[in-house]
Structures are given as C-alpha cells and as structure tokens.
Amino acid sequence: MDAAGLQPAADAEDMTVMRVVARETFSRDMAEILAADIVSAYRSLDGTKSERLEPAVSPRRGHHAT
Amino acid sequence: MISNKVEPPAGNGPGTGLSATYALRYFTESVPRYEIPADGMPAGAACQLVHDELNLDGNAAFDLGTFTTTWMEPEAERLIVQNLGKNFVDRFEYPQTTEIHQRIVNMLGPLFNAPDQANFCGTATVGSSEAILLGLLAHKRAWRNKHRTGHPNIVFGADAHICWDKFARYFEVEPRVVPMAKDRFCSDAAAVRERIDENTICVGAIMGTTFTGACEPVREIDALLAGINQDRGWDISIHVDAASAGFVLPFTNPELVWDFRLSHVRSINVSGHKFGLVYPGLGWLLFKHAGDLPEDLVFYVNYLGDTMPTYTLNFSRGSGMVMAQYYNLLRLGYAGYKSIMENCLANARYFAGRLVASGLFDVLSTMELPIVTFRFRQKAGFTPFQLSRKLRERGWMLPAYNLPPTRRT
Ligand SMILES: Cc1ncc(COP(=O)(O)O)c(C=O)c1O
C-alpha cells in the first residue's frame, strides 16, 4: 500500500493492458494489418503457431533470396 | 529528462568515442562521446553523424501508443521552420505572433462553450502538463486568497496523468486520490464527495484518461459541487483535463456537456500536440473568467510600448508550434477537424472490433475517443510486455503498462 491507501491491482496480470491511439495517421489498412499481426504474435507466443526461423528448403534446392 | 554523469572508460579503446566508418570521407579519428570535441567538423559530417545515430530510434510512424502528433503537412512544417527562431515571449519584436496567439485563444473559448458574457482568457503552454500546473496553481492561489490558514488539498482520480501528482508535490498540496474500482477506470461523484472539504482547491475531472481514454462524469461532479457549495458556503470548482478530448468531442459529439457550459468548470487544458494535430511542444490553458486567474500570478512584458500579461512557467520558447496550430485551424476549419476526428473514431472502433472478434482480447475503452485499450481475455503463459516486444519485430511500437491501483477490498 502506498501513502494514499492504494495498493497495486490484486491480479496484476489482469490489469496489464496495451493501448493504440488511433491518430490521423492510423489508417484502416494499418488497423487491419496490425490486428492480424497482434493475433499472429499472440499465437506464436502461446505456441499454437510455430515460427520457422530456418528456410524450409535446403540451399541446394532452394535459392536463398537476397 | 535527467541525464547522469558518465565516467569515460580508460584508454582509447572501443567505447571511448564515436567511431564513424566514413573513414576517408569525413573522419580519420573518433569523436569523443562525452566531451566537447576540441575542434569542430564540417556541417555535412556533423549532420550525417547525428542522423545515423538516430537511426537506432524507433520509427515514429509505427509509434501507436503515443497521443502526440507524428506527422504534419509540409506547408505546416515550412511555417514551423520559419518561426523556430522567433522567441514567442518577445511581444515587442513580434506583435503579429502575439495577435495570432490571441486569435487562437479566441477560437478555443467558444469551442469549449465559454458563455457569451464570460470574459475568458487563455495561454499557450509547452503541453498539457504546464497547462495543468498553471491551472491548478491559479486554483490554489484563489483558495489561499480566501483562506489564511489551513492546508490545501486537491481531489482527482488515480487515473490522472502523472502531472497531477507533480502539481501536488511541487506546489505542496495534499493529493486526495480516488482509487479505481475493478471495472471502473475513472473517478465518480460519490467518491469525490467523500474527499472534499473547505480546503479543497478544486476537483479534477479528466476527459480522456491516459490509461483507457475514459471520460469522467464532469456533469455529476458539477451537480454535486452546486449542492455542497450552497449548503456549506464553499467555493470549490473544477479543472477539466481535456488533454485528449478537447480537440475531439467538440467535433464528434458537440452535445455532450463537459466544458464551460457547466457552471463549476472554471479552467480547461487541452494539448495542441495531441488531437490538435500539432507536433510536440504545444498545450493550451483556458480560464472561463479572466478573474479566475489571480492577478498576483500574472507578470508583464513590454509590448509595443504597452505591457502584455503573461502566465507561464518558462520564459523563452519558439513560435513555431503556435503558428502550426493556427495553420491547422485555418486549413481544416471546423469541418476538417470534424471529418478527421470521425475518421479516427471509425478506425479505432474497427480495430477494437477486430481485437474482440479474435476472441483473445477484451477492450476496456468506452470508445468515446479514438483510444483503444485492451487486455488478454484469458490468462496466458506470457505477459502483454512480451507481446509488445514480439510486435516490435514487425516494427510496431505498442506499449504495455499497468492500470492504476484499485480500491482496497
Ligand atoms: C489526460 C492527460 N493529461 C495530461 C497529459 C500530459 O500532457 P503533455 O504531455 O501535453 O504535457 C496527458 C498526456 O498524455 C494526458 O493524457
């Protein structure tokens, strides 16, 4: 508790939030892409979507894009 | 920002200086990092060096959490550059700058519905923080002018921006903070009632909190004060922090009554650099009646052989952002601001809808303003801080943060 008689939220995790301020530069297109990216980032963190960090084909068969 | 002294590493190995790689073109030796270089360098070299270092900063276009403007039209930028070197406080030298400031204040008074008979006044500030510090200071002085004894207090919600705490600490006023309930992210009249007394300098009400964009019930607080001031013979008024909402609600929802239409709302701040659509460095403070600003807080500067009143914390500043605000008001007009704000709101609601539809998030914002605050619907094996970091891989800058403390149960 602090001096004002307040205490941090009991369930701190529950009270952690994220914020997007839809300013003039935040287009509908950006909203679309961002929402998809958020879901996809969430999925890769919770393990329901696996991320491939290595090329799927070997350099002998596939050309590593430059 | 407070920067600390850095002990330079011994010797002249790595870490002692800026070693630029443009070996032959610009540099043969590294440039000291924490000392003023003995000699200068060509303009192009210095510019390139600073520019390259700043590449490490995030791209402002991807900064989605910020309230402040990251883009203005090239014409506005031209005006800003033209006015950077004009000291805003030099009224004698730049009378037209003073005139334009006066025009803007006169546009904002009616925007916040100052009554026709009210002799409002206002000033540009560096941002809403300075505007709030000055606004609350006026309330404190007005209280002190009436009460020779007693210790002043101020009532505001735990959802207030840090500058409210700053005021309380810097100006030695006891903060009486209304805690948040689990599902209510703003102050309410009943909680205010429990905390006010004859030494309350004013009550704060926030239109568009930093945390969730919630709008506090100013109307209810106004009604509460009307009753209690009459019963007790007190004179407690309201300062509205409309840092965000001040340039949104007058366009998107002009019927909503939160401003000078309420009799106890005596001062309002708004950020020019948020939905006023100006780059960082501009806020506004308005008093409903010139008399709400105690005369002994006002200083005078020379103005064309006359004296001009000023009310600021700092003295010198550039005129660029004030001109940029004027540009926006002329360029957009009421209709322009209205269509931009409606568009922002539509995009915010669309985005919030997408988040909810994913089934992964709850949106906490009430969406009166284009601010979307969300949290995980279910407990996950990771935190929003980790999600924030993950999103950075794509360039998005999306802050995760904790909501203010809740009421003790
Ligand atoms: C509600 C509110 N009040 C005050 C401020 C402080 O404003 P400034 O950054 O303009 O000093 C902010 C900034 O985010 C805010 O959201």
Side-chain angles (χ1 to χ4, degrees):
Chain A
M1 258 213 286
D2 67 13
L6 306 178
Q7 67 174 18
D11 191 352
E13 220 161 287
D14 186 40
M15 293 314 237
T16 305
V17 298
M18 298 177 88
R19 176 183 72 211
V20 169
V21 179
R23 291 175 290 112
E24 190 187 2
T25 45
F26 186 68
S27 64
R28 184 65 66 101
D29 194 36
M30 254 169 110
E32 185 75 48
I33 298 170
L34 176 64
D37 279 355
I38 290 176
V39 170
S40 139
Y42 187 103
R43 291 291 179 216
S44 77
L45 286 172
D46 79 358
T48 47
K49 181 181 138 236
S50 65
E51 275 185 297
R52 201 187 283 286
L53 295 178
E54 285 167 28
V57 286
S58 85
R60 289 185 159 277
R61 286 203 298 120
H63 180 66
H64 190 77
T66 54
Chain B
M1 206 161 307
I2 300 175
S3 296
N4 293 320
K5 183 181 179 205
V6 177
E7 294 299 341
N12 38 19
T16 53
L18 299 171
S19 305
T21 50
Y22 309 98
L24 273 178
R25 292 174 194 264
Y26 293 141
F27 302 105
T28 49
E29 288 172 26
S30 67
V31 184
R33 217 186 277 197
Y34 297 109
E35 290 155 48
I36 299 175
D39 299 307
M41 63 179 78
C47 183
Q48 190 69 46
L49 194 77
V50 177
H51 177 270
D52 287 357
E53 285 235 37
L54 291 177
N55 281 336
L56 283 167
D57 275 350
N59 177 347
F62 283 98
D63 186 355
L64 300 178
T66 186
F67 286 92
T68 52
T69 302
T70 54
W71 175 85
M72 288 189 77
E73 289 176 320
E75 289 81 359
E77 294 188 345
R78 201 182 315 148
L79 282 171
I80 290 170
V81 171
Q82 285 166 0
N83 286 283
L84 279 176
K86 282 191 187 173
N87 193 341
F88 184 67
V89 83
D90 289 339
R91 310 287 156 118
F92 180 72
E93 289 77 1
Y94 310 122
Q96 208 54 29
T97 295
T98 302
E99 164 62 19
I100 286 175
H101 175 267
Q102 174 155 299
R103 290 181 196 168
I104 300 171
V105 168
N106 276 270
M107 292 177 185
L108 295 180
L111 189 68
F112 299 153
N113 292 293
D116 286 342
Q117 69 281 14
N119 181 23
F120 62 82
C121 71
T123 181
T125 58
V126 174
S128 276
S129 296
E130 189 194 5
I132 289 168
L133 294 176
L134 290 169
L136 302 182
L137 180 60
H139 287 277
K140 182 187 177 192
R141 181 58 63 101
W143 167 87
R144 178 53 80 199
N145 287 343
K146 279 191 219 113
H147 301 72
R148 290 292 147 203
T149 57
H151 189 72
N153 67 70
I154 182 167
V155 178
F156 55 85
D159 54 341
H161 187 269
I162 190 169
C163 62
W164 285 77
D165 301 287
K166 203 180 230 190
F167 168 77
R169 211 178 296 172
Y170 286 7
F171 294 96
E172 300 183 332
V173 173
E174 179 202 343
R176 297 194 176 164
V177 180
V178 176
M180 302 294 94
K182 200 147 174 50
D183 289 304
R184 184 182 47 76
F185 306 106
C186 61
S187 187
D188 72 293
V192 167
R193 171 68 195 89
E194 291 167 19
R195 287 168 178 80
I196 51 176
D197 62 26
E198 71 276 16
N199 291 323
T200 301
I201 63 164
C202 78
V203 175
I206 303 154
M207 292 304 283
T209 68
T210 321
F211 296 100
T212 65
C215 291
E216 297 195 321
V218 197
R219 221 180 164 145
E220 283 75 32
I221 296 172
D222 182 74
L224 161 84
L225 292 177
I228 210 156
N229 282 345
Q230 180 153 30
D231 291 351
R232 308 285 175 95
W234 297 345
D235 186 20
I236 304 175
S237 55
I238 302 173
H239 175 92
V240 177
D241 177 356
S244 288
F247 270 110
V248 180
L249 292 176
F251 304 106
T252 58
N253 191 358
E255 288 78 38
L256 189 73
V257 178
W258 60 271
D259 51 17
F260 289 136
R261 280 168 286 184
L262 297 172
S263 66
H264 296 81
V265 173
R266 303 282 270 280
S267 51
I268 296 177
N269 69 276
V270 62
S271 288
H273 56 211
K274 294 191 176 109
F275 291 99
L277 308 177
V278 176
Y279 285 134
L282 187 67
W284 297 97
L285 169 65
L286 274 95
F287 292 99
K288 187 188 224 161
H289 309 286
D292 290 330
L293 170 56
E295 181 57 32
D296 52 345
L297 292 179
V298 176
F299 285 79
Y300 290 84
V301 292
N302 261 336
Y303 173 64
L304 288 178
D306 203 355
T307 51
M308 189 78 195
T310 70
Y311 187 43
T312 54
L313 291 178
N314 64 314
F315 194 71
S316 300
R317 65 171 292 178
S319 305
M321 296 314 158
V322 177
M323 293 311 119
Q325 183 78 75
Y326 189 51
Y327 167 84
N328 273 349
L329 290 162
L330 293 184
R331 157 88 173 107
L332 298 170
Y334 186 90
Y337 268 102
K338 182 175 162 69
S339 83
I340 289 173
M341 297 312 148
E342 283 175 346
N343 200 29
C344 290
L345 261 184
N347 287 340
R349 288 175 180 153
Y350 175 80
F351 175 68
R354 289 291 313 267
L355 289 178
V356 172
S358 75
L360 301 175
F361 304 101
D362 287 327
V363 171
L364 305 182
S365 302
T366 45
M367 309 301 295
E368 290 144 292
L369 300 176
I371 297 167
V372 187
T373 300
F374 55 99
R375 68 176 165 209
F376 292 175
R377 180 166 291 173
Q378 278 168 355
K379 216 171 163 57
F382 53 94
T383 66
F385 296 100
Q386 285 167 288
L387 182 61
S388 173
R389 170 107 50 106
K390 183 86 192 152
L391 284 163
R392 193 77 192 244
E393 287 173 12
R394 285 272 287 167
W396 304 114
M397 288 184 270
L398 219 72
Y401 53 95
N402 296 322
L403 287 178
T406 49
R407 194 187 301 273
R408 206 153 72 93
T409 45

